[in-house]
Amino acid sequence: MHWETIHKDTAPVVPPRLTDYDRTRSEFTWSQARAALAGLPDGGLNMAHEAVDRHAASDLADKAALRCVARNDSVSTVTYAELARGTARFANVLRSLGVGHGDRVFTLLGRCPELYTTVLGTLKNTSVLCPLFSAFGPDPVAQRLRLGDAKVLVTTAALYRRKVAERRASVPGLKHVLIVGPGAEDLPGTASFDDLMSAAPDTFTIPPTSPDDMALLHFTSGTTGTPKGAVHVHEAVVAHYVTAAYALDLHPEDVYWCTADPGWVTGMSYGIIAPLVHGVTVIVDEGDYDARRWYRILGEQRVTVWYTAPTALRMLMRATPREGPYDLPRSYDLSALRFIASVGEPLNPEAVVWGRDVLGLPVHDNWWQTETGCIMIANIAACEIRPGSMGRPLPGVEATVLKQGEDGRALVIDGRVTEVQSPDVEGELALRPGWPSMFRGYLHDKERYDAAFAGGWYLTGDLVRRDADGWYWFVGRADDVIKSAGHLIGPFEVESALMEHPSVAEAGAIGRPDPVAGNVVKAFVSLRPGVEPTPELERELLAFGRRKLGPAVAPREIAFDQNLPKTRSGKVMRRLLRARELGLPMGDLSTLEGSA
Ligand code: ATP
Ligand code: MG
């Protein structure tokens, strides 16, 4: 069993696979999970040691850690031993630049091998890594570099010219800009990443690392407001390891592909760290989204576990609808793929049905946040999959549902909250702090951090329903919930119902003020290719909504919009739909897809 081969001198303490949910949950402790990781020889805990060096010193040394598919489809591999040497070089580069413990290293890169070297080399040096979306415009980049106290930035010449050069003076703390690939010589104030790497030694001893040392800084997606900088520590690797075993079922022989951009937390925790800790081969796709390309990579690379997002699945659904024809997916051999996991947004039941019918595969929803640092609630193979549900809390995760106040959020009286216990309940989702990847702060915003806790719980800001059997169902973000004629309506329910109509590709629902009801539901709908937005279709969708949802919840108004505003991580930004509708200020637009 791989647990024994990886941890040669540590007996398997945690059951490595979740086959019996109830038993595993009742027996699980985080300290046992921690003991199952190797740890540094001197007793510390460092993410990069668990992800790379440990394997480089084992039977996995010559195995492909990364398999990179370039834009032109050429494929190259990086073994665990090579990754250990490359990351040692980068740690030495940082040391030679005087960058040390706790200093912030930012990346502004697409998916490329150098990204992995930078991330893991930074962690080896006990510096802090903060990834940025390469699609961010100049202002969001400068804003985050300043807020995150950036000392080093690793990027490319093209990205530097377009997104950093002009604003560089506004980030005085940024001492070093390292340019991957050609072009550094033409850019004053930068140095060549490649030259520094080839001059650096390829061995490095990881300095003492406390599990509480800051490792990663992640900005949230900005779906509901200005992005917050969530602080994570090295101990988080314990949670990455365990949750990737339980929710993603990773084994060393897996070929694993996570499509999340490395600029957000999924791309880091489950795109880089967790899979490498499990010793799998990670697919690194340098290309852009394209249905045919994705099916081809899944087939040709024999991907076994695929972690993606509802927005990506909806794009595949548009290209290959359930009504057929199934020629595109059938022209690739997807037989190696065991299941698809999805995160980031509610997974509409229609997507689960589509996965079953078109690909013959289960689609597992996962719920978590930048703040939680790891998957918290998931559909797992060991339990019944309920389409439209997020699943059940993983072992080690204590979740509850809190009674809501008028504003939809948990009711807090004198610092106390009330858990709702009856069999089928709705309210704000809360989590008992204490899991290893729990965020340790919002950078420079203690007040906001403190406000996220009450009565011994972390309040997630998400509203859920827990059914009588303990499955959690996403209702909406507290900020997005629509209050209409005394009901709280979750936009997800409305959007999922509309998506079952064959003409609808995607939907976003908001509340529009109404003198009688307080608010009525208005839905913005994007249509499948080839479908015309006509008044007849509008009437048909209104009637369809009423039939599915009943008159109290159904949209009163439908607007066609082929470009629903989304974050770069693919989440519908209902706050922008609302702001546009009501003529309100748009607020922070830094994570809006398509913005400069
Ligand atoms: P911000 O906090 O800046 O508004 P954000 O909440 O979108 O942005 P993330 O931390 O990237 O930033 O996303 C976490 C949120 O995404 C969750 O709180 C939840 O609202 C939503 N989410 C994630 N996974 C799921 C899921 N499986 N089902 C429903 N919603 C999900
Ligand atoms: Mg959030």
Side-chain angles (χ1 to χ4, degrees):
M1 187 191 297
H2 94 285
W3 201 270
E4 283 152 18
T5 48
I6 294 177
H7 311 293
K8 288 200 175 91
D9 36 41
T10 324
V13 192
V14 183
R17 295 297 148 217
L18 212 168
T19 47
D20 180 341
Y21 176 84
D22 293 310
R23 211 192 95 218
T24 307
R25 245 183 94 73
S26 65
E27 291 176 357
F28 181 90
T29 69
W30 284 112
S31 55
Q32 283 182 337
R34 163 85 194 278
L37 283 175
L40 288 174
D42 69 0
L45 186 67
N46 183 294
M47 283 184 176
H49 177 73
E50 302 302 325
V52 187
D53 286 12
R54 189 162 63 93
H55 302 315
S58 80
D59 303 348
L60 298 181
D62 295 326
K63 173 183 175 171
L66 310 178
R67 201 183 291 153
C68 310
V69 185
R71 275 175 197 277
N72 65 6
D73 293 339
S74 66
V75 177
S76 56
T77 58
V78 179
T79 66
Y80 276 96
E82 286 165 341
L83 192 58
R85 290 197 290 274
T87 52
R89 282 184 197 277
F90 189 70
N92 281 315
V93 166
L94 290 178
R95 192 175 276 179
S96 72
L97 296 173
V99 177
H101 183 81
D103 286 338
R104 311 283 155 75
V105 177
F106 277 59
T107 52
L108 182 67
L109 289 170
R111 280 184 213 82
C112 57
E114 289 85 354
L115 172 79
Y116 289 73
T117 318
T118 302
V119 169
L120 296 159
T122 298
L123 294 171
K124 278 190 173 176
N125 193 44
T126 68
S127 305
V128 175
L129 193 282
C130 180
L132 298 177
F133 275 102
S134 54
F136 275 150
D139 285 330
V141 168
Q143 184 196 7
R144 285 167 180 73
L145 291 171
R146 276 195 305 273
L147 186 63
D149 310 312
K151 190 162 180 185
V152 181
L153 171 68
V154 180
T155 186
T156 64
L159 289 169
Y160 182 77
R161 265 197 210 95
R162 273 190 282 137
K163 311 196 174 207
V164 187
E166 251 179 55
R167 310 282 197 287
R168 171 107 185 238
S170 73
V171 196
L174 181 60
K175 297 280 182 284
H176 308 282
V177 174
L178 312 184
I179 301 291
V180 171
E185 53 291 353
D186 303 326
L187 297 169
T190 72
S192 161
F193 177 93
D194 306 337
D195 290 355
L196 289 167
M197 286 288 278
S198 41
D202 67 2
T203 55
F204 182 86
T205 304
I206 297 178
T209 315
S210 155
D212 290 323
D213 282 348
M214 184 171 167
L216 302 167
L217 173 66
H218 277 297
F219 289 96
T220 60
S221 298
T223 313
T224 55
T226 308
K228 300 149 273 190
V231 171
H232 290 283
V233 298
H234 279 273
E235 192 187 8
V237 69
V238 179
H240 297 151
Y241 183 36
V242 169
T243 53
Y246 289 159
L248 301 177
D249 191 35
L250 294 186
H251 299 64
E253 51 280 11
D254 275 317
V255 176
Y256 167 81
W257 182 21
C258 170
T259 62
D261 191 283
W264 76 297
V265 69
T266 303
M268 184 63 55
S269 308
Y270 295 99
I272 302 183
I273 295 165
L276 294 177
V277 174
H278 279 274
V280 311
T281 296
V282 177
I283 298 294
V284 181
D285 172 28
E286 297 182 35
D288 297 321
Y289 166 79
D290 166 339
R292 179 173 294 279
R293 178 186 172 84
W294 278 20
Y295 283 127
R296 194 174 66 233
I297 292 177
L298 287 171
E300 286 178 358
Q301 298 304 325
R302 309 289 297 151
V303 172
T304 57
V305 178
W306 193 37
Y307 201 16
T308 188
T311 183
L313 292 173
R314 287 195 295 259
M315 288 194 281
L316 288 185
M317 286 162 72
R318 264 191 227 202
T320 46
R322 193 147 65 89
E323 297 75 48
Y326 292 4
D327 312 3
L328 185 55
R330 295 240 166 108
S331 51
Y332 299 98
D333 176 7
L334 307 183
S335 60
L337 195 54
R338 294 204 298 277
F339 67 96
I340 299 173
S342 163
V343 69
E345 257 205 304
L347 181 68
N348 314 87
E350 177 62 22
V352 180
V353 175
W354 173 87
R356 185 196 63 198
D357 291 357
V358 177
L359 304 181
L361 287 168
V363 187
H364 294 183
D365 195 12
N366 293 181
W367 178 93
W368 59 293
Q369 305 180 307
T370 309
E371 289 87 342
T372 70
C374 74
I375 303 169
M376 296 266 112
I377 297 180
N379 277 292
I380 43 176
C383 300
E384 178 201 340
I385 308 292
R386 300 190 174 178
S389 153
M390 323 194 286
R392 297 209 275 172
L394 290 182
V397 175
E398 190 187 346
T400 196
V401 180
L402 298 180
K403 187 174 172 193
Q404 294 167 290
E406 286 267 295
D407 60 355
R409 292 221 49 181
L411 185 65
V412 184
I413 300 173
D414 295 334
R416 278 198 287 273
V417 292
T418 312
E419 287 181 63
V420 278
Q421 302 286 11
S422 45
D424 192 354
V425 294
E426 196 166 310
E428 181 167 352
L429 173 63
L431 302 161
R432 182 78 79 195
W435 70 95
S437 64
M438 171 69 183
F439 74 134
R440 306 299 160 95
Y442 286 126
L443 197 69
H444 306 314
D445 200 347
K446 182 164 183 330
E447 210 176 304
R448 193 160 190 179
Y449 184 70
D450 292 342
F453 300 86
W457 295 96
Y458 163 64
L459 312 183
T460 65
D462 283 349
L463 305 182
V464 296
R465 183 168 76 77
R466 188 183 56 220
D467 67 24
D469 306 318
W471 269 255
Y472 283 74
W473 302 73
F474 186 78
V475 170
R477 292 157 181 272
D479 297 8
D480 284 341
V481 143
I482 303 162
K483 284 152 223 138
S484 178
H487 301 279
L488 285 180
I489 301 172
F492 174 52
E493 186 184 5
V494 177
E495 293 158 9
S496 288
L498 290 173
M499 276 193 59
E500 286 175 33
H501 190 281
S503 300
V504 175
E506 246 176 327
I510 62 161
R512 190 176 55 66
D514 176 85
V516 180
N519 286 280
V520 291
V521 177
K522 173 163 184 177
F524 295 82
V525 164
S526 77
L527 299 173
R528 291 263 178 89
V531 181
E532 284 303 315
T534 59
E536 291 74 47
L537 180 58
E538 188 184 328
R539 279 196 295 277
E540 189 182 317
L541 290 178
L542 287 169
F544 184 79
R546 269 197 307 278
R547 262 200 322 280
K548 293 240 149 223
L549 298 161
V553 177
R556 294 284 181 82
E557 245 181 89
I558 300 268
F560 296 113
D561 182 347
Q562 287 306 99
N563 292 304
L564 293 177
K566 285 197 205 151
T567 64
R568 293 176 198 281
S569 45
K571 305 172 193 233
V572 175
M573 293 171 96
R574 296 177 195 82
R575 71 176 162 95
L576 290 193
L577 289 173
R578 221 165 26 232
R580 273 186 205 163
E581 177 71 18
L582 307 179
L584 299 173
M586 293 293 198
D588 187 290
L589 295 179
S590 60
T591 62
L592 175 66
E593 188 183 53
S595 63

